[in-house]
Amino acid sequence: MSNSTAAVATAPRPAKASPARSAATTPDVPEADIRGVVIQLTGARLLLPNAAIAEVLSYAPPEPVAGVPEWLLGRMRWRGWQLPLISFSRLAGLADEQGGLGSKVIVFKALGGNTKAPYFAILTQGFPRLVTVSRGGLSVDVDGDALPLAVQARVTLNQDDALVPDLVAIEKLIVEALADAG
Protein backbone atom coordinates (compact mmCIF):
# COMPACT_ATOMS: atom_id res chain seq x y z
CA MET A 1 0.00 0.00 0.00
CA SER A 2 1.41 3.45 -0.93
CA ASN A 3 1.73 6.30 1.58
CA SER A 4 -1.21 8.20 0.06
CA THR A 5 -3.42 5.09 0.19
CA ALA A 6 -2.43 4.49 3.83
CA ALA A 7 -3.32 8.09 4.71
CA VAL A 8 -6.76 7.70 3.18
CA ALA A 9 -7.32 4.32 4.80
CA THR A 10 -6.45 5.65 8.30
CA ALA A 11 -8.15 9.04 8.05
CA PRO A 12 -10.89 9.44 10.64
CA ARG A 13 -14.42 9.26 9.35
CA PRO A 14 -16.69 12.24 9.94
CA ALA A 15 -18.98 11.84 12.93
CA LYS A 16 -22.61 11.15 12.15
CA ALA A 17 -25.10 13.68 13.45
CA SER A 18 -27.08 12.36 16.38
CA PRO A 19 -30.84 12.34 15.75
CA ALA A 20 -31.31 14.09 19.14
CA ARG A 21 -29.41 17.21 17.98
CA SER A 22 -31.26 20.14 16.49
CA ALA A 23 -30.57 21.24 12.94
CA ALA A 24 -28.96 24.43 14.26
CA THR A 25 -26.30 22.50 16.18
CA THR A 26 -23.32 21.27 14.23
CA PRO A 27 -21.89 17.91 15.29
CA ASP A 28 -18.31 19.27 15.41
CA VAL A 29 -19.10 22.05 17.90
CA PRO A 30 -19.28 20.99 21.54
CA GLU A 31 -22.10 22.41 23.59
CA ALA A 32 -19.79 23.81 26.25
CA ASP A 33 -20.97 26.32 28.81
CA ILE A 34 -19.09 29.60 29.04
CA ARG A 35 -18.48 31.84 32.02
CA GLY A 36 -20.14 35.19 31.75
CA VAL A 37 -20.98 38.21 33.84
CA VAL A 38 -24.22 40.07 34.33
CA ILE A 39 -23.61 43.74 34.96
CA GLN A 40 -26.30 45.93 36.53
CA LEU A 41 -26.69 49.40 35.05
CA THR A 42 -29.31 52.04 35.59
CA GLY A 43 -32.19 50.85 33.43
CA ALA A 44 -30.72 47.56 32.19
CA ARG A 45 -28.40 44.61 32.67
CA LEU A 46 -25.53 43.68 30.37
CA LEU A 47 -24.37 40.14 29.60
CA LEU A 48 -20.75 39.68 28.57
CA PRO A 49 -18.11 36.96 28.52
CA ASN A 50 -16.05 37.02 31.70
CA ALA A 51 -12.86 37.22 29.60
CA ALA A 52 -13.77 40.73 28.38
CA ILE A 53 -13.22 42.21 31.86
CA ALA A 54 -9.78 43.30 33.02
CA GLU A 55 -10.70 44.61 36.49
CA VAL A 56 -13.51 45.94 38.70
CA LEU A 57 -12.86 49.18 40.63
CA SER A 58 -14.69 51.40 43.06
CA TYR A 59 -16.11 54.52 41.44
CA ALA A 60 -14.25 57.81 41.75
CA PRO A 61 -15.25 60.90 39.76
CA PRO A 62 -13.30 60.97 36.47
CA GLU A 63 -11.31 63.90 35.07
CA PRO A 64 -13.71 65.77 32.76
CA VAL A 65 -13.00 66.01 29.03
CA ALA A 66 -14.31 69.14 27.30
CA GLY A 67 -16.42 68.85 24.17
CA VAL A 68 -17.46 65.20 24.46
CA PRO A 69 -20.99 63.74 24.52
CA GLU A 70 -22.61 63.41 27.96
CA TRP A 71 -22.24 59.61 27.88
CA LEU A 72 -18.44 59.98 27.96
CA LEU A 73 -18.04 60.88 31.63
CA GLY A 74 -14.32 61.66 31.46
CA ARG A 75 -10.98 59.92 31.92
CA MET A 76 -9.68 57.93 34.83
CA ARG A 77 -6.21 56.71 35.72
CA TRP A 78 -5.62 52.98 35.81
CA ARG A 79 -2.25 51.21 35.78
CA GLY A 80 -0.53 54.02 33.91
CA TRP A 81 -3.33 54.45 31.36
CA GLN A 82 -5.84 57.28 30.94
CA LEU A 83 -9.05 55.34 30.34
CA PRO A 84 -12.23 56.81 28.94
CA LEU A 85 -15.12 56.16 31.35
CA ILE A 86 -18.57 55.93 29.82
CA SER A 87 -22.14 55.59 30.99
CA PHE A 88 -23.56 52.82 28.81
CA SER A 89 -27.08 53.70 29.98
CA ARG A 90 -26.67 57.22 28.60
CA LEU A 91 -24.99 56.02 25.40
CA ALA A 92 -27.81 53.59 24.65
CA GLY A 93 -30.51 56.07 25.69
CA LEU A 94 -31.73 53.86 28.55
CA ALA A 95 -31.35 56.17 31.57
CA ASP A 96 -29.42 59.11 32.99
CA GLU A 97 -26.86 57.15 34.98
CA GLN A 98 -24.79 58.87 37.66
CA GLY A 99 -21.85 57.53 39.63
CA GLY A 100 -22.12 57.51 43.40
CA LEU A 101 -21.93 55.45 46.56
CA GLY A 102 -21.93 51.76 45.63
CA SER A 103 -21.17 52.40 41.96
CA LYS A 104 -18.37 50.42 40.36
CA VAL A 105 -16.24 50.88 37.28
CA ILE A 106 -15.50 47.89 35.08
CA VAL A 107 -12.37 48.04 32.96
CA PHE A 108 -12.80 46.24 29.63
CA LYS A 109 -10.19 44.90 27.27
CA ALA A 110 -10.62 46.73 23.98
CA LEU A 111 -11.13 44.43 21.00
CA GLY A 112 -10.39 46.89 18.20
CA GLY A 113 -6.61 46.46 18.20
CA ASN A 114 -5.78 50.10 19.02
CA THR A 115 -2.47 49.80 20.90
CA LYS A 116 -2.81 53.38 22.17
CA ALA A 117 -6.19 52.61 23.77
CA PRO A 118 -6.28 48.94 24.78
CA TYR A 119 -8.85 49.50 27.57
CA PHE A 120 -11.98 51.49 28.35
CA ALA A 121 -14.26 51.60 31.38
CA ILE A 122 -18.02 51.47 31.97
CA LEU A 123 -19.87 52.83 35.01
CA THR A 124 -22.02 50.19 36.75
CA GLN A 125 -24.33 49.94 39.74
CA GLY A 126 -22.56 47.28 41.78
CA PHE A 127 -20.34 44.28 41.29
CA PRO A 128 -20.79 42.07 38.24
CA ARG A 129 -22.42 38.71 38.92
CA LEU A 130 -20.68 35.61 37.57
CA VAL A 131 -23.01 33.35 35.59
CA THR A 132 -22.79 30.18 33.56
CA VAL A 133 -24.11 30.67 30.06
CA SER A 134 -25.44 27.51 28.45
CA ARG A 135 -27.27 27.08 25.16
CA GLY A 136 -30.32 25.80 27.00
CA GLY A 137 -30.51 28.76 29.36
CA LEU A 138 -29.95 31.51 26.77
CA SER A 139 -32.45 32.79 24.25
CA VAL A 140 -32.16 35.73 21.87
CA ASP A 141 -35.08 38.13 21.56
CA VAL A 142 -35.90 38.42 17.87
CA ASP A 143 -39.11 40.45 18.14
CA GLY A 144 -37.94 42.90 15.50
CA ASP A 145 -37.79 45.99 17.74
CA ALA A 146 -34.90 48.31 16.99
CA LEU A 147 -31.93 47.81 19.26
CA PRO A 148 -30.51 50.73 21.24
CA LEU A 149 -27.21 52.25 20.13
CA ALA A 150 -24.21 49.97 20.82
CA VAL A 151 -26.40 46.95 21.61
CA GLN A 152 -25.77 43.76 19.67
CA ALA A 153 -28.73 41.74 21.01
CA ARG A 154 -31.48 41.45 23.61
CA VAL A 155 -31.29 38.13 25.42
CA THR A 156 -32.86 36.20 28.25
CA LEU A 157 -30.57 34.14 30.46
CA ASN A 158 -32.39 31.87 32.90
CA GLN A 159 -35.44 34.22 32.99
CA ASP A 160 -33.28 37.39 33.39
CA ASP A 161 -33.46 39.92 30.55
CA ALA A 162 -30.16 41.46 29.49
CA LEU A 163 -28.49 43.34 26.66
CA VAL A 164 -25.37 42.16 24.87
CA PRO A 165 -23.30 45.26 24.16
CA ASP A 166 -21.36 45.72 20.95
CA LEU A 167 -17.91 46.37 22.44
CA VAL A 168 -16.29 47.14 19.09
CA ALA A 169 -18.97 49.76 18.30
CA ILE A 170 -18.49 51.28 21.77
CA GLU A 171 -14.74 51.56 21.14
CA LYS A 172 -15.36 53.28 17.80
CA LEU A 173 -17.80 55.73 19.38
CA ILE A 174 -15.28 56.55 22.12
CA VAL A 175 -12.47 57.11 19.60
CA GLU A 176 -14.72 59.34 17.46
CA ALA A 177 -15.92 61.37 20.47
CA LEU A 178 -12.38 61.96 21.72
CA ALA A 179 -11.14 62.86 18.22
CA ASP A 180 -14.01 65.35 17.75
CA ALA A 181 -13.19 66.93 21.12
CA GLY A 182 -9.67 67.55 19.84
Side-chain angles (χ1 to χ4, degrees):
M1 194 166 21
S2 72
N3 285 344
S4 61
T5 307
V8 171
T10 60
R13 295 182 184 176
K16 291 183 180 178
S18 165
R21 291 183 187 258
S22 71
T25 304
T26 58
D28 297 339
V29 179
E31 291 191 28
D33 296 344
I34 62 168
R35 297 297 292 163
V37 290
V38 173
I39 299 167
Q40 185 64 52
L41 306 175
T42 301
R45 285 184 214 96
L46 299 181
L47 175 64
L48 293 141
N50 190 35
I53 295 177
E55 193 166 343
V56 179
L57 309 168
S58 293
Y59 172 77
E63 298 171 21
V65 177
V68 296
E70 68 175 18
W71 53 263
L72 205 160
L73 303 174
R75 292 185 184 266
M76 55 176 276
R77 294 184 190 280
W78 178 74
R79 298 186 183 191
W81 294 95
Q82 286 285 328
L83 305 184
L85 173 62
I86 72 162
S87 165
F88 184 87
S89 292
R90 286 185 188 180
L91 173 65
L94 304 171
D96 184 23
E97 187 168 42
Q98 302 290 328
L101 187 63
S103 296
K104 301 295 177 199
V105 171
I106 299 182
V107 177
F108 286 91
K109 300 169 190 171
L111 304 174
N114 183 348
T115 58
K116 294 182 181 181
Y119 303 98
F120 65 93
I122 294 180
L123 176 66
T124 71
Q125 302 304 313
F127 284 103
R129 179 173 47 104
L130 288 171
V131 294
T132 299
V133 180
S134 65
R135 286 185 194 241
L138 182 69
S139 62
V140 177
D141 182 2
V142 290
D143 64 9
D145 289 345
L147 294 171
L149 180 63
V151 172
Q152 199 164 15
R154 282 188 183 92
V155 298
T156 301
L157 177 66
N158 303 327
Q159 287 102 26
D160 289 331
D161 293 334
L163 301 173
V164 176
D166 185 340
L167 297 178
V168 174
I170 293 169
E171 284 179 61
K172 288 179 183 176
L173 290 166
I174 291 169
V175 168
E176 289 170 5
L178 292 172
D180 290 346

